[in-house]
Amino acid sequence: MALVEVKVPDIGDFDEVSVIELLVKPGDAVKAEQSLITVESDKASMEIPSSHAGVVQSISVQLGDKVKQGSVIVLLQAADAAPTAQPATQPAAQASAVASSPAPAAAVAAPASPAAPSPVGALEVRVPDIGDFKDVTVIEVLVKPGDAVKLEQSLITVESDKASMEIPSSAAGVIKQLMVKLGDKINIGDLLAVLEGAAPAVSPAATSAGPAAPAAASVVAAVASPAANAPAPIATLAAPAHSPTAAAMGLPHASPSVRKFARELGVPLEEVKGSGPKGRITQDDVQAFTKAVMAGAAQTRAQAAKAPAAVSGGGGTELGLIPWPKVDFAKFGPIERKEMSRIKKISGANLLRNAVLIPAVTNHDDADITELEAFRVATNKDNEKSGIKVTMLAFLIKACVAALKKFPEFNSSLDGDALIYKQYWHIGFAADTPNGLMVPVVKDADKKGILQISQEMGELAKKAREGKLSPAEMSGATFTISSLGGIGGRYFTPIINAPEVAILGVCKSTMEPVWNGKEFVPRLMLPLSLTWDHRVIDGAAAARFNAYLGQILGDMRRVLL
Ligand code: CAO
């Protein structure tokens, strides 16, 4: 054990930056590369991580202090005197070790050269030098074609496995073309957008480490603010109700670690009030918000912001629940504690919201699929060579589209006191994966045949299991099917995947004696469980939906009518 001074590493052009957040306190055990403080210049912010693991003895800086390369941040009782990458014999070595950690060295805007201002025309905005970030994933697209953007307004958020950052625009103008989409992998120099309109009067040029400035009217984005990423738009069984673009309306001000923390808890940062400098959201704010929601205090606010219709009848009430039981399980026997996967944490928060906010009712019914199953088996025989396997789920998707067309409110979403009727039929299906439930979406299922749907489902389910689904492949569903048919069970009560208003649960079909008016005959019966939002749908409509679905599954030729 040795005492080690952790110093500010080489942080590029960041000179004399302000300390805006202290992320640790004396006595805290920190891991190597754990963020210690957040600093901010007038252009960007970044976290400074620890070069060693150990216990914080004292903190050498205060909020508001100006620090620069070599300033001592904390005194650490190090578990191991060796820094994370290179020996800490001198500040520079220590700095470079730290610089390769989660907080990327931000490229800082430099004044444009006199030649830079170009006449009104097309301007290319490219990915600037984003330090160690390579092949990073676009997790948010904050603008769309036609949007007017200001200089340095964030265009997208990217995320590596270590941290996230926003990529701002290097020029003001109107977005003519957006060259990236959710899920894309990007690297330094990639073209993000083409702007037109305003001349980049004060557009920044690339830093020395940045890509070479493209010729003529193209401008290279040069500021990479590491300070953001809102909840990733991962569609789980309960996809977030808000769209990723909502964040663009007023991006919350928070450091990457706070954003990561918020995302893990499923906390929407747009709804958190920041108590830090310039309204910055701190970890304490996120914790306080979570506590308030759990205690019911923020329920009304959450409803108003995320499910407006939930309060359109006149204000929510506090849940007034008793606290969650705290049990020392180890007292009763051996235990093992395991962190839940990120997907489970996100889907858990969404499921809780949907279960609490939606007045959901489930209708159970059975469909006679005797003939359909025979047809399915025959189809699979005929198509043996194609490698495409047709399961009942593909027919269910097609049958649901027909029922959704007949009962359009099942394909709608609440928007305040209005209903949005969607003129497209994108069907999500719950897929069981090692990391938790995912809901890939078969887009435009109305335009696809059973074989195409089966093939797509197979590919999407495989990607889901491998954790390779892109956000785009999990968004846009208008209705979801959760099939446990391959596993078993009779009926269950699935939770609606907001902002959808209904979900169909399906269990394993069984051969049953069915009375045909004269005698009992063996029929293959498929158990259906339809959960619906009672604010939008009533029981009679739900019963009719199930009955119609049953008729279609009984004779798929009805789909053609
Ligand atoms: N009745 C009887 N058998 C059924 C059936 C049903 N309703 N649905 C599927 N089967 C059969 C299939 O025909 C297949 O049989 P064979 O192996 O003999 O060919 C077998 O069950 C396995 O099917 P599958 O699960 O591979 O395929 P699928 O198209 O039915 O489902 C998928 C695909 C991805 C939805 C599924 O694998 C899955 O993950 N299901 C779990 C969904 C889930 O967890 N829902 C709960 C959400 S709420 O927590």
Side-chain angles (χ1 to χ4, degrees):
M1 297 280 258
L3 272 183
V4 173
E5 285 181 339
V6 180
K7 296 177 181 173
V8 176
D10 175 3
I11 44 177
D13 288 344
F14 272 54
D15 196 20
E16 290 275 321
V17 283
S18 302
V19 177
I20 57 162
E21 254 180 306
L22 301 177
L23 304 170
V24 292
K25 54 184 184 323
D28 280 1
V30 296
K31 297 189 195 124
E33 299 195 1
Q34 180 176 332
S35 297
L36 300 174
I37 58 171
T38 310
V39 294
E40 190 175 52
S41 72
D42 56 341
K43 295 271 164 42
S45 61
M46 68 162 70
E47 292 181 5
I48 309 285
S50 182
S51 48
H52 294 71
V55 176
V56 176
Q57 298 301 300
S58 62
I59 308 221
S60 315
V61 291
Q62 290 180 1
L63 282 181
D65 279 2
K66 299 270 186 208
V67 293
K68 57 183 180 187
Q69 181 177 350
S71 303
V72 177
I73 308 169
V74 300
L75 201 57
L76 207 65
Q77 186 78 54
D80 173 358
T84 52
Q86 297 176 25
T89 47
Q90 39 181 295
Q94 192 174 346
S96 62
V98 174
S100 66
S101 70
V108 175
S113 70
S118 69
V120 175
L123 304 169
E124 290 182 350
V125 177
R126 289 177 184 273
V127 179
D129 178 2
I130 44 178
D132 286 343
F133 277 50
K134 284 204 181 61
D135 273 336
V136 286
T137 309
V138 176
I139 61 162
E140 260 183 309
V141 178
L142 305 167
V143 290
K144 56 183 183 325
D147 281 1
V149 295
K150 297 194 196 117
L151 174 71
E152 293 186 15
Q153 180 177 331
S154 297
L155 301 178
I156 58 168
T157 309
V158 294
E159 188 179 53
S160 72
D161 55 345
K162 295 260 173 58
S164 57
M165 66 162 74
E166 286 179 9
I167 308 284
S169 179
S170 52
V174 173
I175 300 207
K176 198 173 149 206
Q177 268 179 295
L178 206 52
M179 314 306 288
V180 289
K181 58 181 187 323
L182 285 181
D184 279 1
K185 302 266 186 216
I186 60 163
N187 285 294
I188 183 169
D190 285 353
L191 185 59
L192 290 180
V194 178
L195 307 189
E196 72 176 358
V202 283
S203 68
T207 55
S208 52
S218 28
V219 175
V220 178
V223 180
S225 157
N229 78 316
I234 286 186
T236 60
L237 187 55
H242 50 254
S243 73
T245 45
M249 313 270 186
L251 274 172
H253 195 33
S255 65
S257 65
V258 170
R259 287 174 182 282
K260 184 162 177 274
F261 181 60
R263 203 170 59 236
E264 282 172 358
L265 292 175
V267 168
L269 276 181
E270 315 83 83
E271 290 167 32
V272 180
K273 197 169 178 327
S275 64
K278 297 182 199 162
R280 191 177 186 80
I281 299 167
T282 65
Q283 185 154 332
D284 284 350
D285 295 330
V286 175
Q287 266 163 346
F289 180 89
T290 312
K291 276 187 196 155
V293 170
M294 294 313 285
Q299 199 67 28
T300 308
R301 202 161 27 130
Q303 281 176 316
K306 287 167 76 175
V311 293
S312 57
T317 50
E318 290 188 10
L319 291 179
L321 302 175
I322 57 168
W324 193 257
K326 273 208 154 203
V327 177
D328 178 8
F329 299 105
K331 272 200 330 207
F332 303 104
I335 58 166
E336 185 192 5
R337 188 187 158 86
K338 273 190 183 168
E339 276 300 303
M340 290 206 293
S341 71
R342 182 169 166 259
I343 287 168
K344 279 215 158 147
K345 286 185 207 166
I346 295 172
S347 62
N350 284 285
L351 286 164
L352 175 63
R353 178 200 57 207
N354 298 345
V356 169
L357 292 185
I358 301 174
V361 185
T362 306
N363 282 32
H364 304 289
D365 209 338
D366 296 311
D368 184 335
I369 56 163
T370 316
E371 273 81 37
L372 185 57
E373 174 64 6
F375 178 63
R376 186 187 76 84
V377 171
T379 306
N380 276 339
K381 255 202 190 123
D382 292 347
N383 281 286
E384 231 161 6
K385 282 196 189 119
S386 73
I388 302 171
K389 184 178 155 195
V390 176
T391 63
M392 195 47 67
L393 192 49
F395 290 104
L396 277 160
I397 289 179
K398 209 64 196 163
C400 280
V401 169
L404 292 169
K405 285 192 170 177
K406 188 166 174 72
F407 302 98
E409 67 268 36
F410 287 78
N411 201 51
S412 74
S413 281
L414 269 166
D415 182 23
D417 288 334
L419 279 184
I420 309 288
Y421 287 90
K422 283 153 263 178
Q423 310 294 324
Y424 51 89
W425 291 269
H426 299 342
I427 310 299
F429 64 97
D432 188 26
T433 81
N435 289 324
L437 263 184
M438 309 287 286
V439 185
V441 181
V442 176
K443 302 268 165 60
D444 296 314
D446 56 315
K447 299 185 185 130
K448 293 173 182 165
I450 296 292
L451 291 179
Q452 191 180 351
I453 290 175
S454 299
Q455 185 176 12
E456 263 185 45
M457 259 173 30
E459 287 163 7
L460 289 167
K462 181 167 180 281
K463 276 191 178 180
R465 283 191 290 271
E466 292 168 354
K468 288 185 180 157
L469 280 177
S470 73
E473 287 166 324
M474 294 184 279
S475 40
T478 57
F479 182 83
T480 295
I481 302 177
S482 176
S483 173
L484 294 172
I487 304 169
R490 290 294 287 174
Y491 303 95
F492 68 115
T493 54
I495 293 174
I496 295 169
N497 192 11
E500 294 155 41
V501 294
I503 181 168
L504 180 73
V506 182
C507 284
K508 196 176 178 68
S509 55
T510 49
M511 200 56 91
E512 290 173 24
V514 175
W515 184 252
N516 68 2
K518 286 193 219 134
E519 57 188 343
F520 281 103
V521 286
R523 305 295 296 176
L524 189 64
M525 303 304 287
L526 179 72
L528 305 173
S529 304
L530 179 74
T531 301
W532 39 279
D533 186 333
H534 211 334
R535 294 169 300 179
V536 179
I537 294 157
D538 56 37
R544 285 189 195 107
F545 184 99
N546 269 350
Y548 185 66
L549 194 61
Q551 283 174 18
I552 293 189
L553 292 168
D555 186 351
M556 280 300 277
R557 288 173 302 183
R558 286 174 193 272
V559 168
L560 302 172
L561 299 177

